[in-house]
Amino acid sequence: LRGGEGMGKSRLLSEMYQHLRKQELPTFRGRISPGQSAVDMVAEFARHVATESGDGELNFLIQAFDKSKETPDADMRHQLFDRTQAMLQKLAEERPQIFLVDDIHHAQGLLQELINYLAGGLLKRNQLPLLFVATSDSPQEWLATTHSYQISPLQSEGILEILDKMGCKDKGLQLLAERLHQETDGIPVFLTEFLRDLIQRKVIDLGPPCRFNSDVEEIASKLDLPPGL
């Protein structure tokens, strides 16, 4: 999922995570930080597989890998990758496995290698039920097996649809949607703050039913930057 800051990528992953957990599907939720060690990234990923599978051998390999700090040798890396793949395959043969990762653009060499190794071995060859969803602020050409979706700013029609789904009905709704688009450039995080401000000031009463406590055209004309921004 690609898009700039404030486009709602992380929020979308969080909503997916909550939905998947309610269905009791095993789901890894992680975030890659700038400057995070590549060894730490790989160990965290593999540790989830070890926990889900209960595999002692994989746990042993992770401990050895952790101790190697920044310079795991090729043999250790291959052992860890092979065992992670074997255990993930075993898990995926039983039920779907889902990985949700924020900020994949911070991934470094070793994690890139592991992801492509697993994708090549399990997705391409065995067609197993694995879902890996990541967010990024830019295209990630190193991902070998991927579909990329650009999250774009909302247009006034999209904002109007949100107001409508809130249950708000008024002849001036289109004008309010256009003014909100003008003030926020359609960036979801800013739109959220504008709507939160209107609700907190009781300009919008969510009810039910949702109603405006002032003339909607007047609200649109006086729309101002919320204190939170």
Side-chain angles (χ1 to χ4, degrees):
L1 303 173
R2 288 192 293 116
E5 290 293 326
M7 293 307 299
K9 305 183 299 296
S10 296
R11 177 60 185 270
L12 183 55
L13 280 199
S14 294
E15 292 293 332
M16 289 177 68
Y17 180 73
Q18 295 301 326
H19 180 71
L20 291 162
R21 294 302 291 174
K22 283 177 184 176
Q23 297 186 54
E24 298 184 348
L25 287 169
T27 306
F28 172 85
R29 178 79 167 94
R31 177 186 297 275
I32 303 173
S33 305
Q36 185 179 0
S37 157
V39 170
D40 289 344
M41 293 179 199
V42 170
E44 183 182 352
F45 197 90
R47 198 171 285 116
H48 168 78
V49 177
T51 301
E52 289 293 324
S53 64
D55 185 63
E57 183 179 339
L58 182 53
N59 268 315
F60 175 79
L61 287 168
I62 292 167
Q63 289 174 18
F65 191 78
D66 266 336
K67 290 175 183 174
S68 69
K69 302 301 181 185
E70 300 297 328
T71 56
D73 60 48
D75 183 57
M76 182 185 296
R77 184 169 72 245
H78 289 145
Q79 285 186 61
L80 180 69
F81 284 18
D82 284 345
R83 193 64 187 176
T84 302
Q85 184 182 78
M87 289 302 99
L88 188 53
Q89 177 168 339
K90 182 180 176 183
L91 289 167
E93 285 168 350
E94 296 170 1
R95 57 179 179 162
Q97 301 294 312
I98 298 105
F99 295 82
L100 308 176
V101 180
D102 261 315
D103 298 334
I104 197 71
H105 49 274
H106 294 311
Q108 298 176 32
L110 276 174
L111 184 60
Q112 292 181 4
E113 282 182 46
L114 177 61
I115 291 170
N116 280 334
Y117 184 80
L118 296 175
L122 300 178
L123 291 176
K124 286 183 177 179
R125 188 175 70 237
N126 296 324
Q127 295 292 304
L128 290 169
L130 290 167
L131 177 64
F132 182 88
V133 183
T135 67
S136 174
D137 60 6
S138 58
Q140 299 299 302
E141 305 298 340
W142 60 269
L143 284 167
T145 306
T146 185
H147 299 282
S148 183
Y149 301 93
Q150 177 73 38
I151 301 178
S152 302
L154 292 160
Q155 299 303 312
S156 57
E157 293 80 7
I159 297 174
L160 180 61
E161 185 179 347
I162 289 170
L163 293 170
D164 187 61
K165 286 184 176 179
M166 287 167 61
C168 302
K169 307 291 180 187
D170 192 279
K171 58 183 175 60
L173 218 55
Q174 177 69 49
L175 177 61
L176 179 59
E178 289 171 0
R179 283 286 290 121
L180 282 166
H181 181 261
Q182 206 172 45
E183 291 292 331
T184 64
D185 290 330
I187 296 173
V189 71
F190 295 151
L191 175 63
T192 300
E193 288 304 317
F194 269 86
L195 291 175
R196 182 181 285 121
D197 180 61
L198 291 173
I199 292 164
Q200 287 176 345
R201 291 192 291 111
K202 307 296 185 185
V203 176
I204 297 177
D205 183 348
L206 292 178
C210 176
R211 65 180 184 274
F212 295 94
N213 291 323
S214 303
D215 178 73
V216 176
E217 292 186 4
E218 185 180 347
I219 294 169
S221 67
K222 293 181 177 179
L223 207 59
D224 202 4
L225 199 67
L229 291 177

